[in-house]
């Protein structure tokens, strides 16, 4: 699986959009970008994933650059409950099959009141 | 929706004790489950992949005789930390893929403290 690079920490004001970047310059054509988050003392939670088109769901939007070497997770209106560590993961496959998931160091996002 | 239930949520034991952690998939069957360990302020590290009806696959550096994994049914995997020592104190998390539903589900973790 391709390696990802994320900033170690970010702050965002409550109510504003939180934009979390991720670099994955060695991504292969059949690798998807996944985002998970981990709130303190809980298990990770799936947020969103995509291949090359931008994706949106009830939690967030995922913007993938045209060359697919980087992506941005957008939380449109951040709340205090969005304070968590966000992990960007690149792996083969769009399904949630039996392949293992490897976590990097992630970005610790703090929402400021 | 589909969830993964992990038990206990926290446990404190004396050194030398063996501790069993259960991971159950609710409302779906999981032929595979994953066990992670997380030390404070660090990321999740995959320990092993649990396979229903067969032996678990361990990551490099993880002692299979120390961390016993049993996946006896399609909804239950257990991790037993044998003869636990203070350095085994950590946050243990299990995960299961819901092949017919949405996503990779994670338990809420077990915080293990060995005195």
């Amino acid at each position: 699986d391709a390696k990802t690079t994320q900033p170690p920490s970010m702050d965002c004001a409550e109510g504003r959009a939180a934009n979390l970047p991720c670099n994955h310059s060695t991504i292969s054509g059949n690798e998807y970008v996944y985002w998970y988050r981990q709130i303190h003392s809980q298990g990770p939670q799936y947020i969103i994933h995509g291949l090359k088109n931008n994706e949106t769901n009830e939690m967030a939007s995922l913007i993938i650059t045209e060359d697919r070497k980087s992506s941005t997770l957008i939380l449109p209106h951040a709340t205090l409950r969005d304070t968590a560590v966000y992990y960007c993961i690149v792996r083969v496959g769009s399904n949630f099959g039996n392949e293992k998931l490897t976590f990097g160091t992630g970005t610790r996002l703090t929402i400021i009141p | 929706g589909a969830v993964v239930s992990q038990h206990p949520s926290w446990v404190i034991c004396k050194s030398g004790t063996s501790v069993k952690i259960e991971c159950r998939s609710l409302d779906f069957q999981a032929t595979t489950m994953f066990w992670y360990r997380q030390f404070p302020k660090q990321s999740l590290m995959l320990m092993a992949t649990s396979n229903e009806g067969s032996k678990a696959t361990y990551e490099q550096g993880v002692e299979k005789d120390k961390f016993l994994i049993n996946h006896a049914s399609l909804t239950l995997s257990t991790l037993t930390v044998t003869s636990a020592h203070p350095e085994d104190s950590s946050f243990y998390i299990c995960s299961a893929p819901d092949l017919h539903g949405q996503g990779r589900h994670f338990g809420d973790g077990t915080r293990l403290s060995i005195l």
Side-chain angles (χ1 to χ4, degrees):
Chain A
D1 292 341
K3 181 180 171 62
T4 62
T5 304
Q6 298 177 252
S9 64
M10 291 181 64
D11 292 340
C12 177
E14 186 179 16
R16 306 296 290 267
N19 297 282
L20 292 92
C22 179
N23 281 318
H24 31 79
S25 57
T26 59
I27 191 170
S28 300
N30 60 348
E31 289 181 312
Y32 287 70
V33 181
Y34 288 78
W35 283 85
Y36 282 78
R37 73 179 182 184
Q38 185 180 24
I39 295 170
H40 184 62
S41 294
Q42 295 182 23
Q45 176 189 23
Y46 165 80
I47 302 173
I48 199 167
H49 77 286
L51 180 63
K52 54 182 178 181
N53 297 324
N54 298 337
E55 301 288 344
T56 296
N57 63 20
E58 65 278 5
M59 290 183 68
S61 294
L62 174 61
I63 308 297
I64 302 174
T65 58
E66 194 168 339
D67 63 8
R68 303 210 321 122
K69 293 185 177 182
S70 65
S71 60
T72 301
L73 178 74
I74 301 173
L75 308 178
H77 305 286
T79 70
L80 298 179
R81 288 175 294 182
D82 292 321
T83 292
V85 178
Y86 288 77
Y87 296 98
C88 169
I89 300 169
V90 173
R91 60 178 287 266
V92 175
S94 66
N95 61 29
F96 299 90
N98 292 333
E99 299 82 17
K100 59 186 180 183
L101 212 56
T102 302
F103 289 81
T105 53
T107 296
R108 183 173 298 276
L109 175 67
T110 303
I111 305 302
I112 309 297
Chain B
V3 295
V4 170
S5 174
Q6 199 171 330
H7 178 81
S9 54
W10 61 273
V11 58
I12 302 173
C13 291
K14 291 182 179 180
S15 185
T17 307
S18 292
V19 180
K20 179 185 283 188
I21 302 170
E22 292 187 348
C23 181
R24 293 181 184 275
S25 58
L26 306 180
D27 300 327
F28 71 100
Q29 294 180 331
T31 56
T32 300
M33 291 186 179
F34 302 93
W35 287 96
Y36 292 84
R37 179 168 55 181
Q38 185 176 33
F39 292 108
K41 298 191 183 301
Q42 295 186 24
S43 187
L44 288 81
M45 296 299 296
L46 180 67
M47 299 176 65
T49 302
S50 166
N51 303 297
E52 188 268 335
S54 64
K55 290 183 179 180
T57 304
Y58 290 82
E59 296 300 303
Q60 191 172 10
V62 178
E63 301 174 57
K64 59 183 179 182
D65 295 330
K66 172 103 178 141
F67 300 99
L68 301 180
I69 290 174
N70 184 280
H71 194 152
S73 77
L74 288 171
T75 59
L76 174 64
S77 175
T78 61
L79 168 68
T80 301
V81 184
T82 62
S83 187
H85 293 287
E87 57 267 28
D88 298 321
S89 298
S90 189
F91 192 50
Y92 292 85
I93 305 168
C94 69
S95 172
D98 178 7
L99 299 182
H100 301 292
Q102 292 293 320
R104 179 71 59 88
H105 304 288
F106 287 82
D108 275 337
T110 296
R111 189 161 301 283
L112 174 63
S113 296
I114 306 299
L115 306 177

